Amino acid sequence: MRAAHWDDYELIDASCGERLERWGEVILARPDPQIFWDTPREHPLWGQVHARYFRSQTGGGKWQIYREFPPVWKIGYRDLTFRLQCMGFKHTGVFPEQAVNWDFAMEKIGAAVRQGREVRILNLFGYTGAATLACARAGAKVCHVDASKGMVAWAKENAAVSGLSDRPVRWLVDDCMKFVQREQRRGNTYDGIIMDPPSYGRGPGGEVWKLEEQLYSLVDLCLPILSEAPLFFLLNSYTTGLSPSVMAYLLGVLLRPRFGGQVSADEIGLPVTVSGQALPCGSTAIWQKE
């Protein structure tokens, strides 16, 4: 699946371990270990980047600034607006390939809302809130959970610049697994769950998260907090060891016995302007009602 409906973002070229990207009017070069082909860098913007991220041999890395640009700037996707900045570990605050999942969620929620249904969505590992805002824009009540206080604050800022501050969103800084366990005890339920977990991370209390060891348990924990007629369960991963088929199998064995429905899975990626091909950027598996 290609995220091909962007105006403010473009993956211009991919060569020799780097992406050449346009984020609004800002041109960045960032490392990507999947880009191991040595193709000619003929596009002129390779020589006009505003900044390039260099990895350190001891871990992490830093941005080298070549041309002046705002420390914080904005881009838009459809009716959503995101604040960007050059962060540590090469990130900008948005994963543009995720637009395919935002579109899916907006379509499913919008259809249910138009039928008069109140839709409640749980976004676990919500990061800077792009999926949360997409769901809120479509008319859902959303619970956004992330272990990082800074990321939740950033998500609220994105909601403000998108004109969505008045939408019914709960912004929570919490460990996702502990939050789901508490929601079970409270008896709260959701009509859709979005889960975009990191490969490795720590919760606000120092809790260690390892994807391959804990993903099955977390998805299983989520089953009791799904409503009687849920719309979807969306699972995303950047971990290369989890193929789309493995993720689809996981959702299938856990959700289909109880809710029926169907499971689909695929790589998600970004079209590369120079080559016309797609750069894979992760995998998504989706359970949904038929």
Side-chain angles (χ1 to χ4, degrees):
M1 296 187 291
R2 297 188 183 193
H5 302 296
W6 279 96
D7 292 323
D8 283 357
Y9 172 84
E10 179 186 8
L11 178 50
I12 302 166
D13 199 4
S15 175
C16 302
E18 283 188 310
R19 301 184 186 189
L20 178 66
E21 300 169 295
R22 177 180 61 83
W23 302 81
E25 297 182 357
V26 177
I27 308 300
L28 301 178
R30 299 190 297 158
D32 188 320
Q34 294 189 103
I35 304 171
F36 55 82
W37 44 88
D38 185 5
T39 49
R41 294 189 175 192
E42 297 176 344
H43 198 286
L45 288 179
W46 278 113
Q48 302 174 36
V49 298
H50 288 85
R52 171 176 270 113
Y53 186 88
F54 290 97
R55 291 191 184 278
S56 170
Q57 294 183 351
T58 58
K62 65 178 182 179
W63 289 93
Q64 177 69 49
I65 308 300
Y66 298 103
R67 294 199 290 153
E68 185 176 348
F69 64 100
V72 177
W73 73 103
K74 301 173 187 175
I75 63 171
Y77 181 78
R78 297 191 170 181
D79 294 330
L80 305 174
T81 301
F82 310 118
R83 299 173 74 255
L84 305 181
Q85 65 186 73
C86 290
M87 304 164 59
F89 200 63
K90 78 177 183 178
H91 294 161
T92 64
V94 170
F95 293 96
E97 67 276 2
Q98 288 297 316
V100 296
N101 291 329
W102 311 335
D103 290 342
F104 167 83
M106 286 190 285
E107 180 181 350
K108 297 292 288 188
I109 294 166
V113 170
R114 288 191 293 273
Q115 294 174 1
R117 180 171 175 176
E118 180 180 274
V119 177
R120 295 158 296 179
I121 301 294
L122 174 60
N123 185 14
L124 296 172
F125 309 95
Y127 195 51
T128 59
T132 293
L133 302 186
C135 295
R137 176 70 75 187
K141 294 182 177 180
V142 189
C143 183
H144 173 106
V145 184
D146 195 277
S148 168
K149 183 178 180 180
M151 291 300 105
V152 173
W154 193 336
K156 290 181 180 180
E157 293 169 356
N158 282 336
V161 297
S162 294
L164 297 172
S165 293
D166 61 340
R167 298 299 174 98
V169 179
R170 296 171 62 201
W171 306 100
L172 301 175
V173 179
D174 207 340
D175 175 77
C176 288
M177 188 166 286
K178 291 182 177 180
F179 174 79
V180 170
Q181 291 170 334
R182 286 196 296 272
E183 289 294 85
Q184 282 190 26
R185 295 194 291 270
R186 295 169 183 141
N188 291 333
T189 60
Y190 299 89
D191 304 300
I193 294 178
I194 298 171
M195 189 183 296
D196 189 8
S199 299
Y200 178 86
R202 291 187 178 274
E207 305 88 348
V208 176
W209 164 267
K210 293 183 179 179
L211 183 65
E212 291 89 341
E213 296 179 4
Q214 293 169 277
L215 183 59
Y216 178 88
S217 297
L218 180 55
V219 175
D220 191 37
L221 278 174
C222 287
L223 299 187
I225 65 171
L226 284 167
S227 64
E228 294 183 359
L231 297 174
F232 64 85
F233 195 115
L234 190 157
L235 174 62
N236 189 77
S237 174
Y238 298 95
T239 301
T240 55
L242 288 181
S243 69
S245 297
V246 167
M247 294 164 60
Y249 198 99
L250 172 63
L251 294 187
V253 296
L254 287 175
L255 280 90
R256 292 188 67 186
R258 178 171 177 177
F259 299 107
Q262 61 184 7
V263 178
S264 59
D266 202 350
E267 285 187 334
I268 56 174
L270 294 164
V272 181
T273 301
V274 167
S275 68
Q277 300 192 85
L279 179 69
C281 302
S283 301
T284 292
I286 299 173
W287 171 88
Q288 59 182 311
K289 292 294 287 184
E290 295 174 315

